[in-house]
Amino acid sequence: MATSVTTPPSLSFFSSSVFFTSSQRQNLKPLVAFKPNSLKTPTARPLAISSELTTLPILSFTGEKIGETYLDVKAAPPETARAVVHRGIITDLQNKRRGTASTLTRAEVRGGGRKPYPQKKTGRARQGSTRTPLRPGGGVVFGPKPRDWSIKINKKEKRLAISTAVASAAVNTIVVEDFGDKFEKPKTKDFIEALKRWGIDPKQKSMFLVMELSENVVLSSRNIGTLKMLTPRTLNLFDILNADKLVLTQDAVDYLNGRYGVDFEAEDEEGDEEEAGGGEVELVEEGVAADENPAPAE
């Protein structure tokens, strides 16, 4: 008994809607509902900048834990943190370039005005000057010339890059008590012993941030090649990223919370509003004084 096998319909050129009747074409439904971006309702994005609160231990000069403090600075979201910090570090490194490199072209090199040998009948390649870039002592092709390498970055973006780097290094950060008066005389050996008491390997890169530097501390630490002693004036993004350990004093923590915290911009905005309000009052008072003493009519 023969059985009939039905094959599934396959898509072909004749299955196009061109060959459908008008009633069949009305019953067709689009496979994908297309909607242009201009007609889509925009969704509200949350605030990108967040605050990172980290608890840090406070160590005494002898290495004992005497308390805890917190570090509360702004940090960029993970999606953009890498780009913000990268832009900040590139700006710092590029702005350090002096841009004084300069080379001489074949027109600026001394000599080479005489043709070295006749044009023809020598069997050699023709040469018009001994200062061609193909000869030793000749000019340089496309060499560097003095230029300005500096680039601009917004203040808020630069501040956000530093605060993001500090927040990311919080896991390797410790707080020590003020040790400016602990060194009676300059001695590198005493400073290395203090590093070991704080759990810092002298061979690892470490960065200290203190508000004030005493002379004995500077002289005791300057011979340690892996250590950077910074103040708020010299704080920079490269040393933060380059260090394996960050060491802060309690005053430095308060400075970071105040300078790179969430409330820093709010205080600036309030100050700007007060200044603007004061200016309006002065203008009103000047106007009143002008009305009281009108100018004589001509």
Side-chain angles (χ1 to χ4, degrees):
M1 181 177 179
T3 58
S4 60
V5 179
T6 59
T7 59
S10 59
L11 295 177
S12 64
F13 174 74
F14 295 100
S15 64
S16 175
S17 61
V18 178
F19 301 96
F20 293 160
T21 62
S22 60
S23 59
Q24 293 175 342
R25 192 178 294 110
Q26 292 177 357
N27 296 330
L28 291 177
K29 295 181 179 180
L31 298 178
V32 179
F34 174 76
K35 190 175 183 180
N37 294 330
S38 59
L39 299 180
K40 294 181 180 179
T41 56
T43 58
R45 299 182 61 184
L47 186 62
I49 300 175
S50 61
S51 177
E52 295 290 339
L53 181 62
T54 308
T55 304
L56 302 176
I58 302 177
L59 303 181
S60 64
F61 187 71
T62 58
E64 299 176 357
K65 184 178 178 180
I66 58 177
E68 290 182 351
T69 185
Y70 70 93
L71 182 65
D72 188 10
V73 295
K74 293 186 296 185
E79 296 81 9
T80 60
R82 188 181 183 89
V84 170
V85 175
H86 177 266
R87 177 170 166 79
I89 192 65
I90 290 298
T91 303
D92 286 349
L93 296 179
Q94 194 161 333
N95 290 344
K96 288 182 180 179
R97 300 188 64 173
R98 299 180 62 184
T100 56
S102 180
T103 55
L104 300 179
T105 63
R106 63 180 298 168
E108 299 169 341
V109 177
R110 184 175 182 272
R114 180 178 63 86
K115 189 175 179 65
Y117 47 82
Q119 179 83 352
K120 297 180 179 297
K121 298 181 181 181
T122 60
R124 302 179 64 184
R126 52 194 175 186
Q127 294 284 338
S129 173
T130 57
R131 296 299 180 259
T132 171
L134 304 179
R135 285 173 172 261
V140 180
V141 181
F142 303 125
K145 286 291 184 180
R147 57 168 295 185
D148 184 14
W149 288 93
S150 62
I151 55 178
K152 179 184 175 298
I153 186 173
N154 296 332
K155 291 183 179 179
K156 292 183 179 180
E157 188 177 4
K158 177 66 175 298
R159 193 182 302 129
L160 180 61
I162 294 178
S163 62
T164 302
V166 172
S168 64
V171 292
N172 298 323
T173 303
I174 61 173
V175 180
V176 299
E177 64 176 354
D178 191 11
F179 53 88
D181 56 346
K182 302 295 183 180
F183 296 91
E184 299 179 356
K185 59 180 180 179
K187 197 170 184 180
T188 306
K189 184 178 180 180
D190 294 344
F191 202 95
I192 292 178
E193 291 178 355
L195 291 178
K196 294 180 180 179
R197 289 195 300 269
W198 294 329
I200 302 174
D201 187 1
K203 296 182 179 180
Q204 289 185 341
K205 297 178 182 178
S206 57
M207 190 208 76
F208 281 70
L209 179 61
V210 297
M211 299 304 293
E212 294 181 359
L213 282 175
S214 62
E215 184 179 0
N216 291 338
V217 172
V218 174
L219 297 177
S220 300
S221 62
R222 66 178 182 179
N223 286 336
I224 304 176
T226 58
L227 187 142
K228 284 284 186 179
M229 192 71 66
L230 304 180
T231 60
R233 183 180 179 85
T234 59
L235 181 63
N236 61 89
L237 190 58
F238 180 82
D239 290 333
I240 297 174
L241 299 176
N242 192 39
D244 298 324
K245 282 284 188 178
L246 265 64
V247 183
L248 312 174
T249 61
Q250 182 60 48
D251 295 339
V253 173
D254 296 339
Y255 167 78
L256 292 176
N257 292 335
R259 175 68 176 176
Y260 301 100
V262 180
D263 300 333
F264 180 74
E265 292 182 0
E267 293 177 359
D268 287 353
E269 292 176 357
E270 292 177 358
D272 295 341
E273 292 178 357
E274 291 178 359
E275 292 179 359
E280 292 177 357
V281 172
E282 290 179 358
L283 291 176
V284 171
E285 291 178 355
E286 291 179 358
V288 172
D291 293 340
E292 292 177 355
N293 300 322
E298 294 181 357

